[in-house]
Amino acid sequence: MQTQAPIALPESLDREAVGALCGQKGGGLPARADASAVRRADGAGLALLWLLRRRGALEGTLDEAIAKDLAVFDEAQAAIPAPKPEPDERLLARLGRAVCALAARWGEALAYLGETLWSLTHLFSGRFRWGDCRLTFVRCGVQAVPVMMLIGFLLGLILAFQSAIPLKLFGGEGFVGGLVGIALVRELGVLVGAILMAGRSGSAFAAELGAMKVNEEIDALETMGLRPVRFLVLPRVVAGTLALPLLSLFVAFAGLIGGGLVMGVLGFPESYYIRQLQTFVHLNDILGSFCKAFVFGFAVSAVGCWFGLKAGRDAGAVGTATTAAVVTGIVTIAVLEGIFSVVFYAMGW
């Protein structure tokens, strides 16, 4: 294979000559160059010669003055300190940084919870926005009744059919009504209602406040001296807290209708099903369910508003906040359900 002949560099290697030379090579350095004819070189020419020599592409004998100038380049290059490698971050340092970030996040959440609870003292101060609260109650409560009743009816239907299969093996299908009543009134009615509210209303709260954060409306409220928690969060939290007990009541009622329908299919009269409910479902079950509904409604609403206030300032951040609000709301419901179960067991409920 024939090698390419070196390019003869001109006697005066100035900026124009360097530009023409590199332009001929498509913007790159020549593969081989002969510097025997070079007698004068400015800064651009010296830089070209130094790069060619560094790559081993420079041939010929350099002029003595140019060789001295290139030595200055070498000294300057040697004086530049080598970049220090970044020290390896130890596991303990990363763990400590993660713990500090988590503690700061929990501190912000506790401060937000405290401010929200303190804002409840202003409900009857005359400055509470009851109009916004009523509008939010209609959106997250009244308008959610159809889907809540549909899910509750299907839940009671499925629960009755699925429980009748194993109970029939022991001749206990007559207890299906009591099982459905206890499950719906004590647990599933409020639990399913809270999960649906987290997906429907909690996400809406996060999206609304996140959009206001993007449009700098929350910053405008703070500039005018209005606290976002009292002005925006409190009406939504109150509406969600009041709406969930009623929604859980509709879920349980629709589920009992579905369970009664299955009992009729199994051949049991309506009066028998009602007696089963009266025997197994007590007042403590209803009161405990309402207590959990109030707490779940407050938690779901507060979590949705929290992630809305903490959202970033772009559309993607709003979507992330909405997703986080739903997931965190459901996890919070599960944790609170476990706490209530332990407390009610200790109380004998």
Side-chain angles (χ1 to χ4, degrees), residues 83-87:
K84 296 181 179 180
E86 296 183 0

Side-chain angles (χ1 to χ4, degrees), residues 126-218:
R127 302 179 61 183
F128 180 69
R129 305 176 67 194
W130 286 105
D132 289 351
C133 183
R134 286 192 296 268
L135 180 61
T136 306
F137 181 83
V138 171
R139 290 177 177 175
C140 69
V142 178
Q143 295 180 359
V145 170
V147 65
M148 291 286 185
M149 293 195 68
L150 175 61
I151 296 298
F153 177 79
L154 295 176
L155 182 64
L157 198 74
I158 295 170
L159 183 62
F161 270 123
Q162 293 299 320
S163 60
I165 296 174
L167 289 177
K168 191 174 183 180
L169 299 176
F170 303 97
E173 63 269 22
F175 296 100
V176 171
L179 188 149
V180 172
I182 292 176
L184 288 173
V185 174
R186 287 181 63 94
E187 299 293 338
L188 294 181
V190 62
L191 188 61
V192 172
I195 293 175
L196 291 176
M197 186 176 180
R200 188 180 184 276
S201 301
S203 60
F205 293 163
E208 289 173 0
L209 297 184
M212 295 179 70
K213 187 74 174 291
V214 172
N215 295 330
E216 300 182 353
E217 298 177 31
I218 295 179

Side-chain angles (χ1 to χ4, degrees), residues 181-194 241 243-253 281-297 337 340-341 344 349:
I182 292 176
L184 288 173
V185 174
R186 287 181 63 94
E187 299 293 338
L188 294 181
V190 62
L191 188 61
V192 172
T241 304
L244 186 55
L246 299 178
L247 292 176
S248 63
L249 183 63
F250 280 107
V251 172
F253 178 72
V281 180
H282 303 95
L283 181 61
N284 290 342
D285 301 327
I286 300 175
L287 293 179
S289 176
F290 268 95
C291 290
K292 291 194 294 185
F294 279 111
V295 176
F296 289 175
E337 176 65 27
F340 273 113
S341 298
F344 287 170
W349 284 20

